[in-house]
Amino acid sequence: MENSNKWVFISGGSRGIGAEIVSELAESGYNVVFTYKNSRENAIALCDSLISQGKQCTAFQCDVSIQEEVNELADKCISLFGAPYAIINNAGIVKDSLFINMDQKAWLEVMNNNILSSYLINNAFLPHMISQGNGCILFISSVTAFKGNIGQVNYAASKAAMIGMTHSLAVELGRFNIRVNAIAPGLIETDMSKALPNSAYNKMLKQIPLARVGSTKEVAMSASFLLGPGGSYITGQTLIIDGGMSA
Ligand code: NDP
């Protein structure tokens, strides 16, 4: 298959959107490498299932907010597979509360998991992608970067930072034939959205013109499009996948 000599790194592939992107890209023939932090059983089950279907997949435990762990894993991946074709910065958490009640711990936890991780991952792999002379970087941001959400000031700031990284990295890396884009999902059915209080979930649902929650598959197909030939002249952009919530 055309993509079989390309490998893709995905942070946080053990559940939700990340797991669906892992499956979608493996189905498209890519050699997929993903990280997990706590969900070891999910990660192994996903890998085993893909490998049993003849797909290429490897999972590594790595807390992507910790520099030593990211650098060690990046070195291992480079020695096993060479430079990645694509990096997908997907791992993320929420620690919601009203801003006036938001302590520094909750602020830093979200920043470290959601945006410091993106710095660490890209910083570790980019020199190798630049030498290779092609590649893609994708950020899984959020519609919350553009549309205010009560209780999510820390999360919104981390997701807006991803959009800023997308623009500046796209401009820096175009000359190396590396494209950089972001996807900003709205309300997508995963553990993260299921953890929202019912009142907040229902309020968001009412703001969606398509009147339904989105599926992980709908996000994963867009990720695959942006990495593939359809995305070959797209860089520095954000694709909002929110059923019209932000329209
Ligand atoms: P989930 O909570 O379902 O899954 C989060 C994933 O991130 C898990 O695989 C988890 O791994 C991993 N992860 C979190 N922190 C770390 C870390 N420090 N190191 C390694 N892995 C980590 O989230 P979703 O699938 O819903 O979200 C995925 C991305 O999409 C996030 O960035 C989120 O902000 C974004 N998003 C989600 C939306 C939604 O409605 N669901 C909407 C907009 C954006 P493990 O379980 O192994 O710990």
Side-chain angles (χ1 to χ4, degrees):
M1 205 184 251
E2 179 191 347
N3 295 321
S4 60
N5 57 350
K6 295 177 176 164
W7 79 272
V8 176
F9 180 91
I10 302 170
S11 68
S14 46
R15 290 185 290 122
I17 291 171
E20 193 73 50
I21 295 175
V22 167
S23 296
E24 185 73 24
L25 296 184
E27 294 287 340
S28 304
Y30 292 99
N31 178 8
V32 177
V33 175
F34 72 90
T35 67
Y36 62 94
K37 185 179 166 191
N38 302 308
S39 306
R40 182 181 162 77
E41 278 183 19
N42 281 18
I44 290 171
L46 176 58
C47 252
D48 286 352
S49 152
L50 289 168
I51 289 167
S52 72
Q53 297 164 53
K55 315 296 177 203
Q56 305 178 82
C57 182
T58 316
F60 291 105
Q61 185 168 32
C62 174
D63 182 337
V64 290
S65 67
I66 297 178
Q67 185 164 35
E68 294 72 26
E69 292 194 24
V70 172
N71 286 346
E72 192 183 319
L73 177 57
D75 288 347
K76 193 186 282 181
C77 289
I78 297 289
S79 69
L80 284 171
F81 307 114
Y85 167 66
I87 298 169
I88 303 188
N89 300 276
N90 167 75
I93 62 162
V94 284
K95 288 274 162 189
D96 293 357
S97 72
L98 287 180
F99 184 68
I100 50 166
N101 299 325
M102 192 175 283
D103 58 21
Q104 186 170 317
K105 184 168 177 285
W107 177 268
L108 286 178
E109 257 185 79
V110 167
M111 288 298 160
N112 290 345
N113 278 283
N114 295 8
I115 194 69
L116 175 65
S117 60
S118 294
Y119 162 76
L120 295 174
I121 293 166
N122 293 301
N123 198 254
F125 283 116
L126 253 178
H128 303 275
M129 289 173 83
I130 286 172
S131 303
Q132 176 175 253
N134 79 331
C136 295
I137 296 174
L138 191 58
F139 291 94
I140 308 299
S141 174
S142 166
V143 75
T144 312
F146 307 102
K147 188 177 187 309
N149 218 6
I150 289 173
Q152 294 203 317
V153 173
N154 50 359
Y155 181 73
S158 73
K159 293 297 172 179
M162 283 182 147
I163 306 294
M165 283 184 79
T166 300
H167 290 164
S168 289
L169 271 175
V171 175
E172 282 191 19
L173 297 176
R175 81 192 80 162
F176 303 112
N177 196 28
I178 297 173
R179 297 185 294 106
V180 187
N181 291 294
I183 285 177
L187 188 62
I188 306 299
E189 194 155 23
T190 68
D191 294 342
M192 185 181 276
S193 56
K194 280 183 206 143
L196 283 168
N198 269 348
S199 56
Y201 186 93
N202 290 331
K203 194 174 158 206
M204 283 176 90
L205 209 49
K206 282 193 186 129
Q207 295 171 6
I208 302 174
L210 290 183
R212 65 172 176 85
V213 67
S215 72
T216 54
K217 178 86 177 169
E218 287 169 311
V219 178
M221 286 192 297
S222 296
S224 178
F225 164 76
L226 285 170
L227 261 51
S232 59
Y233 199 52
I234 302 175
T235 194
Q237 304 304 311
T238 301
L239 182 55
I240 299 179
I241 305 174
D242 69 349
M245 193 201 282
S246 59

